[in-house]
Amino acid sequence: MYKQFKVFLVATALSLCSANKIFLVAFVLSLCSVNLFAQVDLNSSAPSDPNVREGVLKNGLTYYIRSNKEPKDRASFYIIQNVGAMLENDDQNGLAHFLEHMAFNGTKNFPEKALIGSLEKHGVKFGENLNAYTSLDETVYNISDVPTTNANYLDSCLLMLHDWSHYLTLSDKEIDEERGVIREEWRTRRNAAFRIYRKTADYVFKDSKYSKRDAIGDLNIINNFQYDVLRQYYKKWYRPDLQAIAVVGDFDASQMEKKVKELFSEIPAVQNPAKREFFPVPDHQAPIFGVATDPEETTSSINIFIKHPTVNPKDKNLGTWRQDIMTGLYGSMFGDRIAEVLQQKNPPFINASAGYGPFLARTCDFYMISADARNNDEATALAAIMKENARVVQHGFTATELERAKANLLTQIESSYKSREKRSNDSYCREISRNFTVNEPMPGIEYEYDFYKKLLPGITLEEMNALAPKWMTKENRTIVITGPEKADIKHLTEAETFAIIDKAENTPVEAYVDKVPVKNLMSVLPKGGKVVAVKKLPEFKAEEWKLSNGARVVYRYSDLNKDQMLLSVQSPGGTSLLPKEDLPSAMYAASLVDGFGVADYDPTTLNKILTGKNVSLNLSLSELSEGMSGRCSPKDFESLLQLVYLYFEKPRFDQTIYTSTMDRIKSMLQNAQNNPRKVMSDSLTLLVKNYNPRVFLQNLDNLDKVSLAKVQQIYLDRFKNASDFTFYFVGDLQPEEAKPLVERYIGSIEDGKRQEHWVDHHLLPPNGMVHRDISIKQDVSKATIIILYSGKIPYNAETELKMSILKGILDIRYVASVREKEGGTYGVGVMGTVSKIPEQQYRLLMTFECDPAKSAHLTPIIYQELNEIAQKGPLSEDFDKVIKNLKKVRTESFRENGFWLNALNSYYWENEDIVAPSSFESIIDKIKPSDIKAFTKTLLKGKNRMEITFQSAKK
């Protein structure tokens, strides 16, 4: 959230209808919808979702209950507190967030850490399924993906929400123990982005309380506040009239509503409650200018904020909703224009955006303009983004731009409507949260889809073109220049900035010319091939089709996710088959070709041709393979296949876009070494891969070794023909409908009869014990400790599962010891993997951040927990919690298309059937704590261990 002032408004997903069809559809819709739109009273409030049971108890608490049958046997429980850091007194700065932490450390019915333990016994994992967040104006707790097969367990979850509402214990002991955790979260979050945000907020929210609060708070207060100060905040603000309960899942809604009423009605209403205030941001006639720099910042940016009144949540209606849709269309069209500018040979900025909406403060909205600049070239970037803004102010958008934006938006909402039965419980709960806190419409997707169909044709070009002049007011302007704090980088002065803006706003600019393509993606269709052999895969409910050109297609029909088709394409080889000198170009090849467009179409033209289609395709080139990944709606399946065909047969290589892209990458890398994260990442990459000569970092030296000619050569070699590619499809389209299209497009890709295999270059950690202490420049004193065990191990499903169990147990142990008992870190990250290719290897990684003064004390605890498991075995309760979670996740995974796509890929790529009971069910119940003890002992006996400590350099 701390870099939200950089608003990057992304254009909506694009599709494959010809321009003539777009206008025909728009014309017909406009004729059909006039009467329908006239029937919508924009002054009326949005209706409530008929599938949601809503109510307000006598004590003021609001509840929302919804039955949702998919995912089966799962439910989510939320408590939404319409209060946050803005309601803190000055001596409570940071305590709203501190209180959120305390909710997990003891309640009336779940003393101390019993709440976390109770949930984890049923597979609900702390930090994943059990979590919370605090912002400036709200605090939300969630218990997600709870199994619903046990009614008593659901009652326990309700009791937890009940206790969070009014019955936190807030003991002195637990408060003191949590201070250390909050200190370390404070340390973790103190980076360049946060510091830039804080400085920016001082200007944007000048003379407002919003400039003085950031949720994480004041470290001095966190360390020293009196216990009762926290309790006073809790008693004052955590109360029923400011709370909502949301419960969504696979249960009987009437029974759940009855339980909620009975349980939560006994919470007493607060007598003479304090007024829940909302804090204004003062108006100002003269513009405010500021510069916010940081030694660790990597990019210079110009950010313009123009403040406007927001609509009071109580006054929101269908007209407000319509206005929000218009601002979305505006951002989409402006984003498309920026994307076009970025394709120029020497684009004037690295990136840019403009759009309207909220920015942290509930009491106002902003029109926000932003541009990222090259070093010492902020003037060019500002002049260019202001010129594009002036173009919209003076001339507006074109009719064709608006129709494309409407078509894309309607495609998005149509996809949501078709997949409505698969919407997650958490998605519903988040929508409920926004409805409760800011009165966002929540009419249900059926009404919403109908509303968009009726409303979009009635939004006129004249209305859209009136927005920018209305937003570009002279008053309430704030301009903030952000960027690196370096002696050789100069930032714009106030006088220079105002002069550039004034010139842009008073200089006539030519109107935008929209070059509308008149072609379909493919005017001449390929001849096609044939399926020459079919192999049934009953264990996957799939089929393998062998095509006449040698390509292999694996197809699984699935209606698990409605209106979704997933694609994965893979061929062995990758960069492992390239000479070392080609690797810098290979590092960028896939993303560059992705950005060139395809066939005769540059990216702008391609996006226009793809208007109204829900389709995307991305290229990949890794060490061991090359491939593609894509998705689409079933109705756009042919469009997806056309893109696949064209990226094989007619890839596009554009010198202008190449020069533009490389120039922007170079600009971003120039200050990369300012960022400690980049320094640590590069150092770790070299160390973990033992300085292998085939390892190239993303830096300026290696960027100079990239060439378009080499990128083209690599791409044409790696994506040469279909004969050694496997195409995996999973989705909601019957095989008999898909097969003719697969034959036409994939069957037409060149057949070179090439069969390759990757080469193992042994990019492995060094042998033996390696210890490194590395000093790096950081503004905040912190240490980052990384411990890595690695080595050879026989690969099989049992070994992989044991590693997952060990990882889960360590997660629990490190939370208990390093985080909670010691208060030494915000969290210890654990990653355990067992790989089959290119070599059978294991890696066990632990990493955490802390106060440098504590690193020598905390690091041995990492080893101590591992040794404890190796010597005595895991605690049975920890073992049982992890087993429950793995089983729960396994059940949930079977209901997602992505799991089946991965399963097919694993079957062909690694000859592993992850669907079979022998890969999980037949193993997990046989594994005992003693097996994890022996497994851990085996890992620790390995000869390879790295311990790397990154310490802040002494000033």
Side-chain angles (χ1 to χ4, degrees), residues 1-6 85-86 135-137 189-205 208-217 291-294 297 303 305 359-361 480-483:
M1 64 177 276
Y2 300 124
K3 220 164 186 179
Q4 289 183 25
F5 64 89
K6 287 190 177 181
M86 290 300 293
S135 68
L136 296 180
D137 278 302
R189 298 191 186 281
R190 256 31 183 202
N191 53 26
F194 177 81
R195 292 188 293 270
I196 290 287
Y197 156 73
R198 287 298 298 123
K199 294 175 182 178
T200 300
D202 287 340
Y203 298 112
V204 177
F205 303 120
S208 167
K209 194 173 181 180
Y210 279 102
S211 68
K212 299 171 182 167
R213 292 290 181 268
D214 56 36
I216 194 70
V291 177
T293 61
D294 190 89
E297 181 57 71
N303 307 278
F305 301 83
F359 172 63
L360 298 178
V480 184
I481 309 294
T482 68

Side-chain angles (χ1 to χ4, degrees), residues 678-732:
K678 170 68 172 169
V679 175
M680 285 190 277
S681 174
D682 286 354
S683 300
L684 193 60
T685 297
L686 293 173
L687 286 165
V688 169
K689 295 187 178 180
N690 201 21
Y691 295 90
N692 191 294
R694 292 181 64 85
V695 174
F696 288 86
L697 303 175
Q698 289 194 5
N699 57 33
L700 293 175
D701 288 342
N702 290 327
L703 195 69
D704 288 339
K705 299 172 185 175
V706 180
S707 73
L708 178 58
K710 186 60 68 175
V711 166
Q712 181 170 347
Q713 176 190 325
I714 292 169
Y715 183 84
L716 293 177
D717 173 62
R718 293 293 83 221
F719 292 84
K720 191 170 185 178
N721 60 69
S723 60
D724 67 342
F725 279 86
T726 302
F727 300 77
Y728 306 94
F729 292 96
V730 176
D732 190 20

